[in-house]
């Protein structure tokens, strides 16, 4: 079976406003095509500038088949490289994070400078040319304290992403934050199910009691339509923009990324059981007023985010296989905030730790049911699941355009 043609046919013929056909959620060949067309070719959120604050600090990540290392150089530039030694392919950096004056492969001690250039390879032939065996670079960009990479040989232009989201992020000064806590959970469901669940709050009342204490279930908050006509949201934008905080809803032309500052439930300042701030020291001195709610940012396929006045929470979505997805959550606070003095870790993390686990169960039950031979695509709620419909539309258009582009290249070669 020609998977590419089959996927292209199914997506072109899909019923608008309905979920995808079963193979898109459970089939390993469909998953491999997702990885090839999306995760191996587009910009992916990986981590934060503040995780590599000094020269020699590095973090590593596995994206499908690709191990990658992100390191800050002596020139303070953050770079990414394929984490594969140019000698015999061993991983150079084996820890999730660390610090090193040089990047030294543990196998045979080939040694690389922080800019990826090969410095030392012992006992090689006299005519060995070190300059031909530098670490292979990976495209790397940083915006508002967020690090994105792209594994493609030629990366899509990042300028449009930067231009839209940077003004929303900069007041929070995420480059000057620190990770107070992080967790990674494995959700036994396809990455698209993880995203579909995230893009609506239709399920919130019955499943997220902690989150619903502060986060509104209104579809105008979590979705992609109606915010412009919601008087509560309009008043919130006026309040925030008067304080110099870009707030109004913006969605990229292709639907891949969105930024908007949305109100929490009246009286709530942060995601805590009390609704009050979890961190006494604000995330940024540039945010001069309270009641700013949450700055919601998503960028398909890897990240959604909540940036508040006192802290921020980033989420990273990395598929492991057709039916397992790693979701990494990081809670970020001001770099000088002291645990036990400025914040209590349990209070800071409780709401989203519980919500993440609830979402994990939801996704797994969704995936379990989709395995049924009786499954067929079902209709989304136009009122509550506009965000889900928008995600599926983005995915379908993205895949169709990529697959048709591939066919065009093959036709041109022929």
């Amino acid at each position: 079976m020609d998977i590419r043609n089959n996927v292209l046919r199914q997506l072109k013929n899909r019923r608008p406003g309905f979920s995808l056909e079963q193979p898109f959620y459970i089939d390993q060949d469909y998953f491999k095509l997702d990885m090839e067309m999306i995760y191996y070719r587009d910009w992916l959120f990986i981590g934060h500038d503040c995780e590599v604050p000094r020269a020699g600090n590095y973090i590593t990540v596995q994206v499908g088949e690709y191990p990658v290392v992100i390191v800050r150089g002596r020139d303070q530039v953050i770079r990414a490289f394929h984490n594969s030694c140019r000698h015999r392919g061993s991983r150079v950096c084996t820890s999730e994070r660390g610090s090193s004056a040089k990047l030294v492969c543990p196998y045979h001690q080939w040694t690389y400078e922080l800019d990826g250039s090969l410095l030392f390879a012992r006992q090689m032939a006299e005519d060995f040319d070190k300059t031909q065996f530098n670490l292979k670079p990976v495209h790397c960009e940083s915006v508002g304290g967020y690090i994105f990479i792209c594994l493609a040989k030629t990366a899509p232009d990042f300028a449009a992403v930067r231009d839209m989201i940077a003004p929303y992020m900069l007041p929070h000064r995420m480059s000057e934050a620190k990770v107070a806590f992080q967790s990674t959970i494995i959700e036994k469901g396809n990455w698209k199910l993880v995203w579909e669940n995230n893009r609506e709050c239709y399920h919130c009342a019955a499943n997220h009691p902690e989150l619903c204490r502060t986060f509104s279930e209104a579809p105008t908050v979590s979705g992609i339509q109606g915010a412009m006509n919601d008087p509560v949201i309009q008043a919130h934008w006026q309040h925030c923009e008067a304080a110099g905080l870009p707030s109004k809803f913006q969605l990229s032309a292709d639907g891949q990324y969105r930024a908007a500052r949305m109100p929490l439930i009246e009286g709530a300042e942060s995601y805590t059981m009390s609704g009050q701030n979890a961190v006494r020291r604000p995330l940024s001195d540039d945010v001069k007023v309270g009641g700013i709610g949450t700055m919601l940012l998503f960028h398909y396929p890897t990240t959604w985010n909540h940036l508040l006045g006192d802290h921020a929470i980033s989420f990273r979505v990395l598929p492991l296989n057709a039916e397992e997805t790693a979701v990494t959550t990081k809670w970020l606070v001001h770099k000088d905030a002291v645990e036990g003095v400025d914040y209590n870790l349990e209070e800071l993390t409780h709401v989203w730790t519980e919500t993440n686990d609830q979402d994990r169960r939801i996704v797994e039950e969704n995936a379990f049911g989709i395995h049924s031979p009786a499954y067929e695509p079902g209709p989304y709620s136009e009122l509550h699941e506009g965000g889900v419909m928008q995600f599926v539309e983005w995915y379908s258009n993205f895949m169709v355009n990529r697959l048709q582009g591939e066919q065009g290249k093959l036709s041109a070669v022929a």
Side-chain angles (χ1 to χ4, degrees):
M1 177 177 62
D2 187 334
I3 288 292
R4 292 173 180 241
N5 284 333
N6 204 41
V7 167
L8 190 56
R9 175 185 58 79
Q10 288 178 311
L11 290 177
K12 282 186 168 183
N13 294 329
R14 74 181 184 87
R15 190 173 177 182
F18 278 65
S19 58
L20 297 168
E21 294 187 46
Q22 186 184 57
F24 287 93
Y25 298 119
I26 67 173
D27 188 277
Q28 188 65 18
D29 289 330
Y30 281 56
F31 167 77
K32 288 179 181 177
L33 195 58
D34 279 356
M35 296 300 289
E36 181 182 341
M37 293 290 113
I38 300 177
Y39 273 85
Y40 295 165
R41 298 197 189 186
D42 218 275
W43 289 104
L44 311 174
F45 164 69
I46 296 301
H48 299 277
D49 293 28
C50 66
E51 297 182 78
V52 286
R54 292 177 292 279
N57 291 162
Y58 67 83
I59 56 175
T60 61
V61 67
Q62 186 76 27
V63 181
E65 297 173 343
Y66 292 89
V68 177
V69 58
I70 295 98
V71 61
R72 189 181 289 270
R74 296 181 210 290
D75 56 2
Q76 297 304 306
V77 174
I78 299 172
R79 298 179 177 87
F81 302 99
H82 289 283
N83 192 9
S84 178
C85 184
R86 296 299 307 282
H87 176 211
R88 285 168 59 187
S90 177
R91 278 197 305 169
V92 177
C93 298
T94 58
S95 302
E96 182 180 2
R97 63 188 65 248
S99 184
S100 181
K102 303 284 190 294
L103 303 180
V104 182
C105 178
Y107 198 0
H108 301 96
Q109 291 73 57
W110 278 36
T111 302
Y112 301 87
E113 184 51 272
L114 300 180
D115 65 3
S117 57
L118 179 62
L119 290 176
F120 175 70
R122 62 190 180 89
Q123 299 177 1
M124 298 298 288
E126 287 186 9
D127 61 351
F128 175 73
D129 183 358
K130 291 187 299 183
T131 64
Q132 301 302 305
F133 298 95
N134 299 331
L135 289 177
K136 291 186 176 182
V138 173
H139 300 285
C140 185
E141 294 279 355
S142 174
V143 55
Y146 280 55
I147 300 168
F148 288 79
I149 66 168
C150 179
L151 293 162
K153 288 184 178 180
T154 302
D157 187 10
F158 193 75
V161 181
R162 180 185 304 280
D163 290 347
M164 194 185 99
I165 70 175
Y168 290 80
M169 303 175 74
L170 290 177
H172 297 273
R173 295 170 67 173
M174 296 292 289
S175 295
E176 300 176 26
K178 68 177 179 181
V179 177
F181 187 73
Q182 74 175 65
S183 71
T184 297
I185 60 174
I186 307 302
E187 300 190 12
K188 295 180 181 178
N190 186 271
W191 70 276
K192 294 186 290 296
L193 291 180
V194 173
W195 267 108
E196 288 190 34
N197 178 63
N198 169 262
R199 295 302 303 117
E200 50 90 356
C201 213
Y202 192 27
H203 70 280
C204 288
N207 293 279
H208 297 319
E210 294 85 3
L211 181 62
C212 286
R213 294 172 75 100
T214 54
F215 187 72
S216 172
E217 302 168 68
T220 49
V221 171
S222 57
I224 51 91
Q225 74 277 346
M228 299 296 184
N229 301 316
D230 186 321
V232 173
I233 293 176
Q234 288 287 334
H236 183 70
W237 288 345
Q238 291 175 10
H239 166 71
C240 293
E241 298 211 345
L245 302 174
S247 301
K248 293 181 180 179
F249 178 97
Q250 285 201 62
L251 179 69
S252 64
D254 61 1
Q256 186 172 17
Y257 49 95
R258 176 215 63 184
R261 205 173 296 277
M262 291 296 182
L264 298 178
I265 286 176
E266 187 174 358
E269 292 283 347
S270 191
Y271 293 124
T272 58
M273 296 300 285
S274 68
Q276 300 309 300
N277 285 329
V279 187
R280 292 186 181 88
R281 178 155 193 165
L283 184 61
S284 166
D285 293 335
D286 291 345
V287 179
K288 305 292 187 183
V289 297
I292 66 167
T294 176
M295 201 286 280
L296 300 176
L297 167 72
F298 70 66
H299 185 287
Y300 303 142
T302 45
T303 188
W304 67 82
N305 301 268
H306 292 262
L307 279 67
L308 304 110
D310 66 327
H311 73 284
I313 312 146
S314 68
F315 301 81
R316 186 185 71 193
V317 178
L318 289 177
L320 301 179
N321 54 58
E323 299 185 82
E324 288 187 310
T325 306
V327 178
T328 298
T329 307
K330 296 179 182 179
W331 288 260
L332 297 106
V333 301
H334 190 281
K335 63 181 180 179
D336 295 328
V338 178
E339 182 183 347
V341 176
D342 295 307
Y343 64 93
N344 174 279
L345 196 59
E346 164 63 20
E347 182 183 28
L348 175 70
T349 60
H350 178 75
V351 168
W352 277 105
T353 297
E354 293 299 310
T355 302
N356 284 345
D357 192 54
Q358 292 151 4
D359 281 331
R360 176 191 59 77
R361 293 197 300 271
I362 290 167
V363 168
E364 291 177 1
E365 288 299 329
N366 195 181
F368 195 90
I370 285 174
H371 265 278
S372 170
Y375 168 80
E376 61 183 44
Y380 296 120
S381 163
E382 291 186 8
L383 174 61
H384 289 282
E385 295 176 302
V388 187
M389 294 165 68
Q390 187 272 329
F391 166 71
V392 173
E393 188 74 17
W394 167 81
Y395 168 77
S396 298
N397 291 340
F398 198 92
M399 290 291 284
V400 166
N401 290 338
R402 285 276 166 92
L403 289 168
Q404 287 182 332
E406 290 290 305
Q407 287 185 343
K409 289 178 184 177
L410 291 174
S411 299
V413 170

